């Protein structure tokens, strides 16, 4: 197990809110080496003691149940260096004294700084074997920039020592998709085009762009969320059973899904996608301002895309991918709608009004599985001629000791387990499809559709949303009319 962490971007929000608290919990649970060390690196001109005093209240706020002894122990393992990440010599000097240990470098910094930082790490000896490198998403902003980052860093470190993070893959609920799919005959038997009519993947946020204006003005919802989190969920839902749970066998199957995605064309852009941007509205009874991007920015805060996977298992099955900011609620869910029964026997409801069977995997904010069936709820005098929807909720027991995503990802990187990390060919395949969507939007001049903060996106999005969200959206739009 590697015993030294170089944490670049140590003064940033990600490091202070998630990374250091994750290390604190791992330390408290006795899962880190006895002589574990952290070197915190950022541009700010602090010394070690000043940085520890900045970090202490953040740890106490993030982990109120942590003991003061654990907080003190972690802080004593951390030292701080001010570093200019645009200067490879500055980076090299900041790490060279610790490269006799087994080191992991974590880059919680903008992707535009990856190459210069890694050049410095290579100069300082921190990318030579057996040292490892962890990279936060996004890897670039399109295929060309991703390729530049991958190929340039590949000159200094082997692929089997690179760990590219998408923190969604570290979530227990997301990992559970693999267990549910491949550990249950009931699902395995119907998991194909013969029984499944459509799949909806929704990642909705009630928060706005607040605090990420500079990044978001360059990325938008498509590059920020669809390219990473949503495509990862798509892969787990759609991939073929891997030969084993070995990291590369899982990643092989994910890449096959991404390569089978049909590129979006300008001809079908308006039919198969929608873009939106939130205007002023109301969230939980509180007024919310409209998103005002910098002059000249055309980015969307809502993206809906219907993806088609051109392979034997999924031919003809639409995958509706939706994400947005300032939506009606914060939720991540996968909704699988099954085809209707082949022969309808019942008087009521009429066949066309029957609610289809649905399997809903609720991933956040709570973790649930819901199974929607049709059942006779009438008294015995009515017989079984009238059916009603029956929702079976399979709640995940509360009180489980579930690690947050970064804890699991840290442990796997320190131990060299790649299963929950993204391989280079996976990054390339994901960007190739995202670029097709972006290019189709530009060529078709697909307009941005406005939607009030607190609703389920623009009116044009209802065909892309899961049934319950679509019903709420239709009601809201009807009320406006």
């Amino acid at each position: 197990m590697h015993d030294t962490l170089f944490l670049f971007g140590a003064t940033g929000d990600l490091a202070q809110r998630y990374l250091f608290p994750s290390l604190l919990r791992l330390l408290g649970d006795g899962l880190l080496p006895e002589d574990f060390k952290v070197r915190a690196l950022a541009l700010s001109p602090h010394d070690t003691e000043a940085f520890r005093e900045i970090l202490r209240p953040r740890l106490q706020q993030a982990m109120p149940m942590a003991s003061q002894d654990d907080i003190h122990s972690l802080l004593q393992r951390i030292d701080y260096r001010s570093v200019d990440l645009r200067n490879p010599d500055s980076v090299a000097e900041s790490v060279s004294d610790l490269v006799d240990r087994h080191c992991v470098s974590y880059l919680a910094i903008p992707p535009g700084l990856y190459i210069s930082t890694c050049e410095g790490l290579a100069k300082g000896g921190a990318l030579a074997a057996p040292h490892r490198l962890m990279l936060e998403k996004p890897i670039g902003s399109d295929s060309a920039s991703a390729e530049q980052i991958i190929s340039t860093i590949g000159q200094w470190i082997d692929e089997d020592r690179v760990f590219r993070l998408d923190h969604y893959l570290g979530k227990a609920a997301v990992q559970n998709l693999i267990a549910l799919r491949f550990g249950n005959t009931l699902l395995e038997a119907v998991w194909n085009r013969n029984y499944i009519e459509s799949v909806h993947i929704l990642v909705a946020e009630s928060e706005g762009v607040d605090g990420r204006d500079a990044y978001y003005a360059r990325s938008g919802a498509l590059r920020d969320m669809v390219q990473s989190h949503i495509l990862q969920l798509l892969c787990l839902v759609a991939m073929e059973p891997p030969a084993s749970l070995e990291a590369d066998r899982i990643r092989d199957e994910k890449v096959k899904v991404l390569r089978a995605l049909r590129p979006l064309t300008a001809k079908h852009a308006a039919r198969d996608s929608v873009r939106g941007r939130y205007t002023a509205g109301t969230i939980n009874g509180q007024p919310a301002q409209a998103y005002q991007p910098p002059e000249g920015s055309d980015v969307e805060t809502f993206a809906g895309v219907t993806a088609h996977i051109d392979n034997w298992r999924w031919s003809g099955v639409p995958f509706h991918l939706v994400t947005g900011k300032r939506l009606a609620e914060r939720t991540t869910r996968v909704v699988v709608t099954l085809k209707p029964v082949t022969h309808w026997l019942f008087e009521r409801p009429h066949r066309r009004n029957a609610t289809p069977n649905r399997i809903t995997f609720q991933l956040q904010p709570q973790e649930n599985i819901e199974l929607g069936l049709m059942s006779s709820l009438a008294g015995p005098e009515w017989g079984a001629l009238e059916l009603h929807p029956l929702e079976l909720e399979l709640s995940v027991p509360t009180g489980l000791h579930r690690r947050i995503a970064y804890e699991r990802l840290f442990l796997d990187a320190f131990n060299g387990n790649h299963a929950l990390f993204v391989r280079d060919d996976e990054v390339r395949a994901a960007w190739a499809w995202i670029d097709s969507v972006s290019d189709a939007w530009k060529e078709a001049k697909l307009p941005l559709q406005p939607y009030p903060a607190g609703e389920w996106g623009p009116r044009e999005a209802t065909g892309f949303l899961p049934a319950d969200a679509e019903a709420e959206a239709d009601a809201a739009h009807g009320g406006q009319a």
Side-chain angles (χ1 to χ4, degrees):
M1 189 175 187
H2 281 35
D3 57 13
T4 302
L5 177 67
F6 296 135
L7 182 45
F8 292 86
T11 58
D13 189 60
L14 172 64
Q16 302 261 321
R17 287 180 62 192
Y18 296 108
L19 303 184
F20 284 115
S22 295
L23 293 172
L24 175 61
R25 190 167 173 184
L26 293 176
L27 180 67
D29 289 345
L31 296 175
L32 296 178
E34 284 293 326
D35 58 346
F36 185 75
K37 291 182 179 293
V38 180
R39 173 152 295 168
L41 302 116
L43 183 60
S44 302
H46 304 302
D47 61 21
T48 292
E49 284 306 316
F51 179 76
R52 288 174 178 172
E53 290 310 307
I54 292 170
L55 183 57
R56 185 188 303 274
R58 297 298 299 268
L59 292 173
Q60 292 169 338
Q61 179 183 5
M63 303 288 291
M65 303 301 292
S67 72
Q68 293 305 307
D69 288 345
D70 285 344
I71 292 176
H72 178 75
S73 177
L74 177 63
L75 292 175
Q76 292 305 305
R77 296 166 185 267
I78 298 171
D79 70 347
Y80 180 86
R81 294 288 189 278
S82 177
V83 60
D84 180 0
L85 299 182
R86 290 181 171 84
N87 183 344
D89 291 330
S90 176
V91 175
E93 183 181 351
S94 70
V95 300
S96 58
D97 62 314
L98 289 179
V99 295
D100 57 328
R101 298 167 62 92
H102 287 187
C103 303
V104 176
S105 297
Y106 191 126
L107 274 55
I109 57 178
L113 296 171
Y114 282 175
I115 290 177
S116 60
T117 302
C118 287
E119 182 181 354
L121 287 171
K123 281 188 173 184
L127 295 186
H131 305 312
R132 297 174 183 149
L133 176 67
M134 299 176 74
L135 296 173
E136 268 288 343
K137 74 148 189 95
I139 307 298
S141 57
D142 55 19
S143 290
S145 57
E147 182 59 40
Q148 181 184 18
I149 290 172
I150 291 170
S151 59
T152 304
I153 293 177
Q155 300 172 20
W156 299 312
I157 185 169
D158 297 332
E159 174 65 21
D160 64 0
R161 291 185 287 112
V162 178
F163 296 76
R164 298 178 191 86
L165 292 94
D166 184 328
H167 76 270
Y168 254 51
L169 291 178
K171 291 179 177 287
V174 174
Q175 296 167 39
N176 197 33
L177 282 174
I178 294 178
L180 290 167
R181 274 203 58 195
F182 303 127
N184 295 282
T185 305
L186 178 66
L187 295 185
E188 191 272 337
V190 300
W191 215 256
N192 56 65
R193 69 185 186 279
N194 296 323
Y195 299 100
I196 291 178
E197 187 169 82
S198 64
V199 178
H200 290 80
I201 300 177
L202 171 66
V203 179
E205 299 176 279
S206 57
E207 294 182 352
V209 176
D210 318 319
R212 303 177 70 212
D213 296 59
Y215 165 73
Y216 212 83
R218 298 189 304 270
S219 64
L222 179 71
R223 287 180 168 85
D224 182 45
M225 293 295 286
V226 179
Q227 185 273 335
S228 54
H229 301 337
I230 289 184
L231 286 187
Q232 288 297 330
L233 291 174
L234 172 70
C235 288
L236 296 180
V237 170
M239 71 182 189
E240 295 295 318
S244 70
L245 293 181
E246 182 187 345
D248 275 335
R249 300 295 75 77
I250 293 174
R251 300 195 295 182
D252 288 345
E253 300 305 332
K254 290 165 64 182
V255 170
K256 290 177 186 176
V257 172
L258 294 171
R259 289 175 176 166
L261 284 171
R262 184 188 307 168
L264 186 66
T265 63
K267 178 181 179 181
H268 296 136
R271 181 195 71 185
D272 286 346
S273 64
V274 60
R275 310 170 66 219
R277 181 184 293 168
Y278 66 82
T279 59
T282 304
I283 299 282
N284 297 325
Q286 300 296 317
Q289 295 181 343
Y291 174 51
Q292 300 288 351
E295 187 73 26
S297 174
D298 188 43
V299 298
E300 71 288 340
T301 62
F302 180 97
V305 185
T306 297
H308 299 275
I309 302 173
D310 291 331
N311 63 18
W312 280 99
R313 182 180 291 268
W314 297 114
S315 178
V317 179
F319 285 73
H320 305 292
L321 317 178
V322 176
T323 187
K325 290 191 173 292
R326 288 294 191 212
L327 297 186
E329 65 181 82
R330 173 179 172 264
T331 182
T332 298
R333 58 183 180 262
V334 177
V335 182
V336 178
T337 302
L338 278 74
K339 291 181 176 180
V341 296
T342 55
H343 181 62
W344 190 252
L345 300 173
F346 307 96
E347 293 180 1
R348 291 191 296 261
H350 189 278
R351 179 188 180 94
R352 64 174 173 267
N353 295 326
T355 302
N357 294 161
R358 289 193 179 94
I359 307 169
T360 300
F361 303 95
Q362 182 80 34
L363 305 180
Q364 66 178 19
Q366 285 83 35
E367 187 179 344
N368 273 324
I369 305 165
E370 296 175 2
L371 179 60
L373 303 175
M374 295 294 285
S375 174
S376 172
L377 301 181
E381 67 274 15
W382 292 100
L385 299 179
E386 182 174 354
L387 299 188
H388 298 265
L390 174 65
E391 297 293 335
L392 302 178
E393 185 171 310
L394 310 175
S395 300
V396 173
T398 58
L400 292 178
H401 183 72
R402 305 296 285 270
R403 299 204 169 275
I404 68 171
Y406 286 105
E407 294 175 40
R408 174 67 188 271
L409 295 172
F410 268 135
L411 283 178
D412 282 359
F414 294 159
N415 285 294
N417 182 0
H418 279 89
L420 301 181
F421 297 89
V422 181
R423 204 167 59 190
D424 55 351
D425 53 352
E426 195 175 335
V427 174
R428 292 184 174 101
W431 275 123
W433 186 74
I434 291 295
D435 283 353
S436 81
V437 176
S438 181
D439 292 345
W441 285 356
K442 290 177 183 175
E443 187 178 343
K445 296 181 171 61
L446 196 69
L448 281 169
Q449 306 292 349
Y451 65 96
E455 297 191 1
W456 280 110
R459 183 185 301 271
E460 294 78 5
T462 54
F464 296 84
L465 293 164
D468 55 347
E470 184 172 313
E472 292 179 29
D474 286 343
H477 296 141
Q480 290 174 0

